[in-house]
Amino acid sequence: MTEIKEQSIETFLDELASKQATPGGGSAAAVIGAQSAALTSMVCNLTIGKPKYIEVENDMKALLQQSEALRIELTGMIKADVDVFDKLMSCYGLAKETDQKKTDRSEQIQIVLKEATLVPLECAKACAQAIKLSRVAAEKGNIGVISDAGVAAMAGYSALKSAALNVYINAGSIKDKNFATEKLTELEQIIKGADVETEEIYQIVKSKL
Amino acid sequence: MTEIKEQSIETFLDELASKQATPGGGSAAAVIGAQSAALTSMVCNLTIGKPKYIEVENDMKALLQQSEALRIELTGMIKADVDVFDKLMSCYGLAKETDQKKTDRSEQIQIVLKEATLVPLECAKACAQAIKLSRVAAEKGNIGVISDAGVAAMAGYSALKSAALNVYINAGSIKDKNFATEKLTELEQIIKGADVETEEIYQIVKSKL
């Protein structure tokens, strides 16, 4: 099967819109997060090497390394979301004719639900990082493409909040309440202040247009 | 040349990140907006035909028609953004050796700047509509995929705010102040309340998880 990242944008949108369960919001969040990282990279690539921005050259090079690593990570998460969803669905499809099979099925579901919580949690973390990187681009990047840093911030924010929804869903079905509470607390720490930070970056960008 | 929508997601992300001027934030906004519409369609497609949701069947069918029309419109805007940017760049490249040529060049730039303001303004309008449609999906859609309505709302919002940045940039360079003010006022009307509306939809979704 073709990996989603190898599909055309048009095909991806068609499949997103279709009644197939995947790709869904989790993959969309990863794609949007990857766009955020890519736009920060774009600002770096259009700042590095310009005499006018020689003073921030090293900062921009360091930022580019981080944004490119993040872009690779987020691009990988497009598939991770689909994989864990499929794994969860196949657990739900396990046999339950006997009490033993019911117990086995339930245990398997619980194991995969933890994984299905960690995948979007990692995505949320990466998106929070994408927002932080966009701030550096907004503050130091080439003013001629500064709006792209603003788009990077907005994309990172919406992807973060989108990934969070998948954490809430899966954590909600986990019986190991310590695990669930720990992951939800971690998520709240990641989300906390992201709205204010995104709006700040947006206003930095807007003030430079 | 391959149209962006025909490119793979990976190639699109590579080009977004590169030092090429296009695709940039304008195209990213259209792609994210199209993902919003696609996710609303997905919720419709997974609600229509389910006996449990027979009462909202007609609403969902009507919503699907709107979200699919919007998805086509937003997908088209990926290219529109690149086209108008290229057109603007070629105007800036026009000859300016004589006073007449300078005047001609300046007039051409002003004409295309208006177009370059209208393209993202239309995108912003479409994204505001995408947010509204996601609310219907959040309120009436299949609860099993309700999180996708939340992602649709977030994607629509970030795409709206992203498109707005391109309106600000281009409107700011337009000498016809009546035109610029009119378009900026129109944009403010579109943006007004979008943050509150998006957060409301997000909370509707979260309360149903």
Side-chain angles (χ1 to χ4, degrees):
Chain A
M1 211 187 106
T2 318
E3 242 194 76
I4 292 175
K5 67 178 181 183
E6 292 160 10
Q7 287 178 345
S8 73
I9 289 175
E10 208 168 24
T11 302
F12 170 66
L13 291 169
D14 284 344
E15 297 203 349
L16 204 57
S18 79
K19 58 166 69 178
Q20 293 168 239
T22 57
S27 296
V31 171
I32 296 170
Q35 282 176 264
S36 169
L39 285 163
T40 293
S41 295
M42 181 191 179
V43 176
C44 294
N45 279 320
L46 285 160
T47 306
I48 294 165
K50 307 264 185 209
K52 194 176 161 191
Y53 295 96
I54 189 72
E55 280 190 14
V56 295
E57 175 103 1
N58 287 336
D59 296 341
M60 286 288 119
K61 281 181 177 170
L63 179 61
L64 179 60
Q65 276 201 331
Q66 291 178 284
S67 58
E68 284 298 274
L70 199 60
R71 178 160 78 91
I72 291 166
E73 191 184 339
L74 280 157
T75 305
M77 286 176 178
I78 306 170
K79 186 173 183 298
D81 177 79
V82 173
D83 288 348
V84 77
F85 183 89
D86 289 345
K87 206 166 160 183
L88 193 58
M89 286 305 110
S90 68
C91 283
Y92 280 112
L94 287 175
K96 43 181 178 177
E97 293 93 9
T98 64
D99 283 352
Q100 184 57 48
K101 281 186 176 169
K102 271 185 197 165
T103 308
D104 291 350
R105 175 179 174 274
S106 175
E107 278 173 8
Q108 275 305 312
I109 290 172
Q110 286 300 316
I111 290 167
V112 180
L113 272 173
K114 286 186 176 178
E115 208 182 312
T117 301
L118 294 175
V119 167
L121 184 62
E122 285 305 307
C123 185
K125 262 186 219 169
C127 293
Q129 179 68 1
I131 298 172
K132 287 195 198 314
L133 299 187
S134 75
R135 179 189 278 270
V136 185
E139 285 173 345
K140 301 183 177 175
N142 181 341
I143 204 160
V145 288
I146 209 69
S147 67
D148 295 300
V151 178
M154 290 308 310
Y157 178 65
S158 68
L160 165 56
K161 296 269 286 185
S162 298
L165 292 174
N166 281 340
V167 179
Y168 298 137
I169 295 172
N170 295 316
S173 302
I174 291 174
K175 288 180 188 163
D176 177 349
K177 292 303 165 201
N178 285 340
F179 178 92
T181 306
E182 188 188 309
K183 297 310 160 190
L184 287 171
T185 306
E186 208 177 315
L187 179 65
E188 292 317 315
Q189 288 301 320
I190 295 166
I191 291 182
K192 202 178 162 186
D195 52 349
V196 174
E197 182 163 27
T198 303
E199 187 55 27
E200 276 176 20
I201 301 166
Y202 193 84
Q203 292 306 328
I204 290 170
V205 168
K206 211 177 150 186
S207 73
K208 289 183 175 186
L209 296 180
Chain B
M1 211 186 104
T2 316
E3 245 195 72
I4 293 176
K5 66 178 182 182
E6 292 159 11
Q7 287 178 345
S8 73
I9 290 174
E10 207 167 23
T11 303
F12 170 66
L13 290 169
D14 285 343
E15 298 204 348
L16 203 57
S18 79
K19 59 166 68 178
Q20 291 169 241
T22 59
S27 295
V31 171
I32 296 170
Q35 282 176 261
S36 168
L39 285 163
T40 293
S41 295
M42 181 191 180
V43 176
C44 294
N45 279 320
L46 284 161
T47 307
I48 294 166
K50 307 263 186 210
K52 194 178 161 188
Y53 295 96
I54 189 73
E55 277 190 14
V56 295
E57 174 102 3
N58 287 335
D59 296 342
M60 286 289 119
K61 282 182 177 170
L63 178 62
L64 179 60
Q65 276 202 331
Q66 290 177 286
S67 58
E68 284 299 272
L70 199 60
R71 177 160 78 93
I72 293 167
E73 192 183 339
L74 280 157
T75 305
M77 285 174 178
I78 307 170
K79 184 174 185 298
D81 177 79
V82 173
D83 288 348
V84 77
F85 183 89
D86 289 345
K87 207 165 159 183
L88 193 57
M89 286 305 109
S90 70
C91 283
Y92 280 111
L94 286 174
K96 42 184 178 176
E97 294 93 8
T98 64
D99 283 352
Q100 184 57 47
K101 280 185 178 172
K102 271 185 198 166
T103 308
D104 291 350
R105 176 179 174 275
S106 174
E107 278 173 8
Q108 275 305 312
I109 289 172
Q110 286 300 315
I111 290 167
V112 180
L113 272 173
K114 287 187 177 178
E115 209 182 312
T117 301
L118 294 175
V119 167
L121 185 61
E122 285 306 309
C123 185
K125 262 185 220 171
C127 293
Q129 179 67 6
I131 297 171
K132 286 193 198 318
L133 298 187
S134 74
R135 178 189 278 271
V136 185
E139 286 174 343
K140 302 182 179 178
N142 181 341
I143 205 161
V145 288
I146 210 69
S147 67
D148 296 300
V151 179
M154 290 309 309
Y157 179 65
S158 68
L160 164 56
K161 295 269 287 187
S162 297
L165 292 174
N166 280 340
V167 178
Y168 299 136
I169 296 171
N170 294 316
S173 302
I174 291 174
K175 288 179 185 163
D176 177 350
K177 291 302 166 202
N178 285 339
F179 177 92
T181 306
E182 189 187 308
K183 298 308 160 192
L184 287 170
T185 306
E186 208 177 315
L187 178 65
E188 292 317 315
Q189 287 301 320
I190 294 166
I191 291 181
K192 201 178 162 185
D195 52 351
V196 174
E197 183 163 26
T198 302
E199 188 55 27
E200 275 175 21
I201 302 167
Y202 193 84
Q203 292 306 329
I204 291 170
V205 168
K206 212 178 150 186
S207 72
K208 289 184 174 185
L209 296 180

